[in-house]
Amino acid sequence: MIPAAFDYVAPSTVEEAVRALAEAGEDAKVLAGGQSLLPVLRMRLAAPAMIVDVGRIAELRGVRDAGDHLVIGAMTTHYDLQRDQSIAEHAALLAKATDTVADPQVRHRGTFGGSIAHADPAGDLLAPALALDTEMVIAGPGGRRTVPAAEFFQDFFTTSLAPDEILVEVRVPKFTGWRAHYEKFNRVAQAWSIVAVAVAVRVEGEAIAEARIGLTNMGAVPVRATAVEQALLGQPATPENIRAAAAHAAEGTSPTPDANGDVEYRQELARVLTGRAVSAALTG
Ligand SMILES: Cc1cc2nc3c(=O)[nH]c(=O)nc-3n(C[C@H](O)[C@H](O)[C@H](O)COP(=O)(O)OP(=O)(O)OC[C@H]3O[C@@H](n4cnc5c(N)ncnc54)[C@H](O)[C@@H]3O)c2cc1C
């Protein structure tokens, strides 16, 4: 279908974009890579009066090293993130999760910030963003504010972004030397996650010194598997210890049942995939 008519602006600074959003009120939408927004417009699930295209704002593109953390501009494409050396070195989990997103065409257009702002529970970058304690830098009419990932994701497709705010960048603490893996379960290649598990671990000698684990599609928002993280701490990385820790993966989760699986099925998937993901992170 053809989208309903809308006005279009393509500002060149964040401040201009925020002004355009504020002037249009609740009837405006930010356009990033368009991979999620355009299908919504074409199906007429939304009919905003104004589209604010942030694709020409140079500040929003690229990854930079800011000392103890990396800064990912919201308009950095999945493709660019996959190939960034500093991401590979300091935040490998993000690169591994991005490798599983859709297909090359979507990864060339779709953006990291667009995925985070869209907040689809099946999106593959939310759980890694949560597990790595990232922070979202948001610009609005009152200036800029920073929101931790744990507070940013609020509900299905709902974040703490107000209609007149823009996600500018995401700050990622450095996890240098950590091992990482993203284990995604879907029915066909390039499909969205039914359930997926994001794991980053730090090993000291034979034992797991720290673990960060995030679950995709195990609730309305990404979930941290804290019981598994704690069960792994200080443990030698044996298959028995990993299996025992992974048995806690579904604790505190409330996945949404759908045609792909009911609650029990998804919770069993979370346990199985967590075991696989931790093992793969340790050996990969
Ligand atoms: C066929 C297909 C398969 C896909 N498979 C997967 C998959 O397996 N895993 C996965 O994770 N994703 C998947 N995606 C989604 C893809 O990753 C998109 O890139 C992503 O969801 C949205 O990014 P975008 O840049 O295209 O954002 P857009 O579509 O432009 O925007 C999405 C939403 O976020 C808002 N928004 C975007 N940027 C900002 C910003 N800077 N500030 C405030 N609001 C903003 C928009 O207003 C809109 O509401 C798939 C998409 C397609 C088309």
Side-chain angles (χ1 to χ4, degrees):
M1 268 209 301
I2 295 174
F6 51 79
D7 289 330
Y8 172 89
V9 287
S12 51
T13 67
V14 169
E15 290 66 33
E16 281 170 32
V18 167
R19 221 173 298 127
L21 286 174
E23 280 166 16
E26 298 223 345
D27 225 6
K29 264 293 184 195
V30 173
L31 173 68
Q35 298 303 293
S36 297
L37 183 59
L38 287 186
V40 167
L41 299 187
R42 291 175 74 95
M43 286 186 274
R44 301 216 175 186
L45 296 172
M50 165 72 82
I51 293 287
V52 180
D53 181 348
V54 293
R56 293 188 197 161
I57 305 178
E59 183 196 343
L60 299 183
R61 285 195 190 268
V63 179
R64 67 172 202 276
D65 193 321
D68 63 348
H69 65 279
L70 301 177
V71 178
I72 306 175
M75 281 299 294
T76 305
T77 62
H78 301 315
Y79 178 83
D80 286 341
L81 196 139
Q82 280 180 291
R83 276 152 191 79
D84 189 275
Q85 276 313 306
S86 54
I87 294 284
E89 190 180 347
H90 304 298
L93 179 58
L94 284 181
K96 295 203 173 191
T98 306
D99 287 345
T100 74
V101 169
D103 51 49
Q105 288 98 319
V106 172
R107 292 197 295 268
H108 270 84
R109 299 290 312 176
T111 65
F112 184 67
S115 296
I116 297 291
H118 191 52
D120 186 325
D124 290 300
L125 306 179
L126 283 56
L130 178 72
L132 298 184
D133 273 338
T134 61
E135 291 181 329
M136 317 304 164
V137 178
I138 295 170
R144 296 194 179 193
R145 65 191 179 102
T146 304
V147 180
E151 293 166 26
F152 182 79
F153 301 111
Q154 297 191 337
D155 206 341
F156 291 99
F157 299 96
T158 307
T159 69
S160 61
L161 279 167
D164 56 1
E165 287 184 319
I166 287 176
L167 178 63
V168 174
E169 60 196 25
V170 178
R171 294 184 184 153
V172 189
K174 285 186 179 172
F175 287 84
T176 320
W178 287 52
R179 302 178 190 185
H181 185 75
Y182 188 71
E183 185 75 18
K184 173 167 170 169
F185 185 84
N186 50 9
R187 283 192 302 136
V188 290
Q190 304 178 347
W192 292 80
S193 286
I194 295 175
V195 173
V197 181
V199 170
V201 284
R202 188 172 66 78
V203 177
E204 263 178 29
E206 298 294 303
I208 296 173
E210 286 180 86
R212 302 294 190 96
I213 301 177
L215 305 177
T216 298
N217 221 5
M218 287 298 290
V221 294
V223 183
R224 193 86 178 254
T226 46
V228 183
E229 293 175 356
Q230 276 156 20
L232 287 171
L233 284 195
Q235 298 294 321
T238 62
E240 296 72 35
N241 287 341
I242 294 170
R243 207 174 307 121
H248 298 284
E251 286 175 17
T253 62
S254 41
T256 308
D258 66 15
N260 285 316
D262 59 17
V263 171
E264 265 179 30
Y265 176 71
R266 285 166 190 273
Q267 292 188 325
E268 179 60 9
L269 270 181
R271 290 186 279 268
V272 172
L273 299 178
T274 298
R276 284 186 200 163
V278 174
S279 301
L282 290 166
T283 55

